[in-house]
Amino acid sequence: MKNTLLVANWKMHLNTSQASMLVHRLQERTRIHRGIEIVLSPSMLVLQPLSTQIDRRKFRLAAQNAHYKDEGAFTGEVSFNMLRDLVHYALVGHSERRIYFNESLELIRDKVAAAIRNDISPILCVGETAQERKDGHTRQVLHDQVTSALSNLTARDVSKVVIAYEPVWAISTFGGEVAKPEQAAEAIAFIRHQVEQLYGPKAARNIRVLYGGSVDDSTVRDYLEVDGCDGALVGGASLNPYKFAGIIESAYRLRHELGEDD
Ligand code: PEP
């Protein structure tokens, strides 16, 4: 039975004391759920202090980005190698990085490989823009983003990858349109199909695929009920302890109703 994975992307918000306060509030409001894995992704600066504060039975940490080389003359960068004892996960290819930092398919492929090399599970974010959807290119975009990002991996490596389907038009800071669960279902099925084409049915069954895009406590259940959706990547709503605790509670209730709350 797969866990439900809930990832909070705090983006470039919260200094150390603000992040610590949010964790304190979340810890008060969150029970230990063995079937639910909650991952917090604060700024790079905050990872170290949070690592000593979090209750590890409740939370894990993710980096929002890292450099694909393990070390070298790359002023200002932090490598996956430097993060390996600190985080379980790292976001790779988030649309804000693809769009604002011009991250290419090749760079994202190298970051995915660097994460795996350093025992960090990459959370590979993929998704089409509003224009690409309008032009009927959604499948082509997902195909290109998934196949290129996974292209240097073995089947064993792929089992450590998480893919988050995040249509750019549904991310609150870009368009904030609410995607219909059917749209998420179709894209998630297509992503799994791509993984199957590349690595076979077992890899496709086992890989975790999340949905992200304006998810909050009132909508998360609709997406978690989508066939093949293993969790959610949450931006804006994860900065609010009431909303994020509500998201966790919804996930818990759904597992309980389905008899999966081990
Ligand atoms: C994100 O940052 O990945 C995201 C999905 O943001 P939001 O939930 O605010 O749309």
Side-chain angles (χ1 to χ4, degrees):
M1 180 73 58
K2 281 196 239 172
N3 284 347
T4 302
L5 182 57
L6 300 173
V7 184
N9 176 14
W10 292 347
K11 311 195 185 200
M12 200 173 71
H13 294 291
L14 309 181
N15 63 25
T16 306
S17 55
Q18 290 166 331
S20 170
M21 182 62 78
L22 180 51
V23 166
H24 177 71
R25 293 196 170 131
L26 281 174
Q27 275 183 165
E28 276 180 347
R29 290 172 174 76
T30 310
R31 291 180 273 161
I32 296 168
H33 305 309
R34 266 193 296 159
I36 297 180
E37 192 178 346
I38 306 165
V39 178
L40 306 176
S41 185
S43 82
M44 199 68 93
L45 188 66
V46 172
L47 284 170
Q48 179 75 56
L50 282 200
S51 73
T52 61
Q53 183 188 351
I54 52 170
D55 180 339
R56 284 159 197 261
R57 294 167 304 172
K58 294 182 181 174
F59 300 107
R60 289 181 158 174
L61 294 175
Q64 294 178 15
N65 181 40
H67 195 276
Y68 72 98
K69 294 269 193 188
D70 285 349
E71 62 175 4
F74 300 102
T75 302
E77 292 296 300
V78 173
S79 69
F80 289 96
N81 186 252
M82 292 165 174
L83 291 164
R84 60 183 300 154
D85 297 327
L86 208 49
V87 301
H88 278 85
Y89 294 95
L91 303 182
V92 178
H94 191 279
S95 56
E96 288 156 14
R97 297 218 55 92
R98 292 182 195 257
I99 293 167
Y100 298 139
F101 300 93
N102 297 316
E103 290 200 0
S104 65
L105 294 178
E106 293 74 25
L107 179 66
I108 290 162
R109 175 199 64 203
D110 291 346
K111 288 188 179 195
V112 167
I116 295 285
R117 182 167 75 240
N118 285 292
D119 276 333
I120 294 171
S121 287
I123 301 173
L124 169 69
C125 304
V126 298
E128 78 290 356
T129 63
Q131 192 60 47
E132 288 164 342
R133 175 165 281 265
K134 205 161 144 236
D135 293 343
H137 295 155
T138 300
R139 284 178 170 229
Q140 189 62 49
V141 170
L142 294 178
H143 169 272
D144 294 350
Q145 291 180 345
V146 170
T147 48
S148 79
L150 303 185
S151 59
N152 283 350
L153 305 184
T154 63
R156 195 187 154 96
D157 295 337
V158 168
S159 67
K160 296 175 198 144
V161 176
V162 176
I163 301 181
Y165 171 58
E166 298 212 303
V168 178
W169 47 272
I171 293 182
S172 62
T173 45
F174 286 119
E177 230 183 284
V178 176
K180 295 190 185 88
E182 305 85 81
Q183 291 171 308
E186 196 188 337
I188 287 171
F190 182 72
I191 288 167
R192 261 186 218 289
H193 175 68
Q194 290 309 305
V195 176
E196 182 170 356
Q197 296 287 304
L198 295 166
Y199 293 99
K202 186 162 174 238
R205 249 193 334 271
N206 291 343
I207 197 165
R208 288 179 293 172
V209 184
L210 314 181
Y211 174 74
S214 300
V215 172
D216 67 17
D217 49 332
S218 67
T219 58
V220 67
R221 186 181 172 115
D222 297 340
Y223 297 113
L224 294 181
E225 282 178 333
V226 162
D227 200 24
C229 179
D230 301 308
L233 175 47
V234 185
S238 72
L239 291 161
N240 178 320
Y242 303 99
K243 286 192 178 175
F244 196 56
I247 287 171
I248 297 165
E249 196 53 35
S250 280
Y252 176 73
R253 242 180 279 129
L254 180 59
R255 287 189 74 97
H256 183 70
E257 284 168 28
L258 296 173
E260 293 170 354
D261 57 343
D262 23 56

